[in-house]
Amino acid sequence: GILLTFPTGGHTCSGHPNYFGEIFQWWCLFAFSYSSSQNPLGGWADPLWWAGIVSPLFTMQILLTMQPTGICNAEGRNLKRYYDKCKERYVKYRENTSILIPFVGYGRVPQFLKRTLFFDFERYEYRPSSSSSAEDSSIAKKDE
């Protein structure tokens, strides 16, 4: 994977720049559709414009919360491969890199902002299972 070598390009500022691009694209399409309203009062008064909000919200729902796809699939327990091969390096990368929204200086952002504005939810963190911890400690005892 890209993180086993060195993060480059969009991965230096965002853990998932492709998902950010997908979500951003749909929000921009929704915003640009404001000017295409046929309502004389503008997009705010057009029910079709408001119905268009379904697409960016649906895309966010799929990419941020659905287990078999998106960030839920890429993060959490699926990060084991990085923690097994280069734990310290990956922990440093995660602390300093936004999970979704590209942002330079992410390491200095307060935790409550990461959990809200940056969508860096706790469920995306890797938590080793207790069975793997027990296996690790029994292996360490064998080595002693």
Side-chain angles (χ1 to χ4, degrees), residues 28-88:
C28 286
L29 187 62
F30 170 66
F32 289 148
S33 69
Y34 179 86
S35 64
S36 66
S37 173
Q38 298 299 316
N39 191 315
L41 299 174
W44 296 109
D46 189 348
L48 288 177
W49 183 74
W50 283 106
I53 201 168
V54 170
S55 184
L57 291 175
F58 183 68
T59 302
M60 287 182 70
Q61 172 71 18
I62 289 172
L63 293 177
L64 296 177
T65 64
M66 302 286 288
Q67 197 62 28
T69 187
I71 293 177
C72 285
N73 187 46
E75 299 291 326
R77 63 187 165 145
N78 292 322
L79 295 176
K80 183 179 185 320
R81 64 187 181 269
Y82 299 122
Y83 280 88
D84 287 348
K85 293 182 180 173
C86 52
K87 181 178 180 176
E88 295 81 21

Side-chain angles (χ1 to χ4, degrees), residues 64-137:
L64 296 177
T65 64
M66 302 286 288
Q67 197 62 28
T69 187
I71 293 177
C72 285
N73 187 46
E75 299 291 326
R77 63 187 165 145
N78 292 322
L79 295 176
K80 183 179 185 320
R81 64 187 181 269
Y82 299 122
Y83 280 88
D84 287 348
K85 293 182 180 173
C86 52
K87 181 178 180 176
E88 295 81 21
R89 191 172 182 184
Y90 189 75
V91 167
K92 183 178 178 187
Y93 171 77
R94 269 299 281 125
E95 288 173 353
N96 294 301
T97 308
S98 170
I99 202 157
L100 181 67
I101 301 171
F103 191 80
V104 176
Y106 187 73
R108 295 185 296 275
V109 173
Q111 188 68 22
F112 79 94
L113 289 178
K114 290 179 179 182
R115 295 277 191 242
T116 54
L117 295 177
F118 289 93
F119 304 106
D120 198 343
F121 304 129
E122 193 171 352
R123 68 173 162 248
Y124 299 151
E125 294 176 6
Y126 175 68
R127 304 259 189 252
S129 64
S130 57
S131 62
S132 67
S133 299
E135 290 172 10
D136 292 344
S137 62

